[in-house]
Amino acid sequence: MTRLQKLTTFLWGLGMLFIGLLMLLAPEESYMVVVLTLSLGFIFYGIKQLIYYFTMARFMVGGKEALYRGVIILDLGFFTASLTDVPKVYILLYLVLIHAFSGLVEILRVWETRKNGGGLWKLKLFHGVLNVAMALVCIIFIRKPNTAVYIYSLGLIYSAVIRIITSFRKTGFIYIQ
């Protein structure tokens, strides 16, 4: 990582930490921010996948997967944006699915890394276990009205701390002779 990338990662981490703390302090007003952030995140990721497909992946073997992923996630983003007037349970279900899926994938990646003898797996394992725990907390407190805001803001704060830690980590260089 270059110094500029480290600086931008650090600044993004500080910004995310600030927003996460603000959301914790005002949970009633932050529900719309959670819905907006989730929907915009899905929409931008879907558009990014579609741009990737039309510029590069359509010429690749298996490139249609990027097209399908882009269309599905873009639709999911538009659907999420329409959930502003429905009960908060649906947003909690989104958070359950997102945290459970990403946590299980992270744990499986750690398992594969350990099997192949790779290092630096402890932080990833902690991240995966924490995501699964957040999904379980969402399920346990599904009837509480501000659970979605609390879980989302705690996830945002955790991601901010990980970004800040990553910005101070030394990067290794591989030289091929």
Side-chain angles (χ1 to χ4, degrees):
M1 217 188 286
T2 65
R3 288 183 185 176
L4 181 64
Q5 288 174 331
K6 286 185 178 192
L7 180 67
T8 55
T9 302
F10 178 74
L11 291 177
W12 270 104
L14 282 180
M16 289 169 58
L17 186 65
F18 180 71
I19 292 171
L21 290 174
L22 278 178
M23 289 173 66
L24 275 178
L25 294 176
E28 289 296 325
E29 295 82 19
S30 299
Y31 178 72
M32 291 304 292
V33 174
V34 171
V35 172
L36 182 69
T37 306
L38 281 174
S39 63
L40 286 178
F42 285 140
I43 289 170
F44 286 140
Y45 184 73
I47 290 171
K48 178 183 166 189
Q49 286 297 309
L50 290 174
I51 290 171
Y52 172 66
Y53 171 75
F54 287 117
T55 57
M56 187 184 286
R58 67 179 171 168
F59 303 113
M60 298 167 42
V61 174
K64 285 188 179 180
E65 179 184 329
L67 174 68
Y68 299 146
R69 189 180 320 125
V71 168
I72 290 171
I73 291 179
L74 187 65
D75 286 343
L76 185 63
F78 288 133
F79 178 69
T80 305
S82 70
L83 291 179
T84 57
D85 295 331
V86 296
K88 296 179 180 181
V89 174
Y90 294 112
I91 298 299
L92 271 174
L93 291 176
Y94 269 146
L95 289 175
V96 166
L97 291 174
I98 290 169
H99 283 294
F101 181 74
S102 64
L104 290 175
V105 166
E106 197 73 35
I107 290 171
L108 290 174
R109 283 183 181 166
V110 166
W111 186 39
E112 184 179 351
T113 301
R114 286 196 61 206
K115 188 171 73 171
N116 292 332
L120 300 172
W121 52 269
K122 292 178 185 174
L123 186 62
K124 290 184 180 185
L125 178 65
F126 178 72
H127 183 68
V129 169
L130 188 68
N131 269 335
V132 171
M134 284 184 143
L136 290 175
V137 168
C138 280
I139 292 172
I140 291 170
F141 296 110
I142 201 159
R143 297 280 182 205
K144 304 283 182 184
N146 291 329
T147 304
V149 175
Y150 291 137
I151 294 297
Y152 190 78
S153 61
L154 288 176
L156 196 63
I157 290 171
Y158 176 73
S159 296
V161 169
I162 293 298
R163 276 184 184 261
I164 292 171
I165 289 172
T166 303
S167 70
F168 288 113
R169 203 179 258 176
K170 289 189 178 207
T171 55
F173 292 101
I174 300 174
Y175 294 104
I176 301 174
Q177 296 179 351

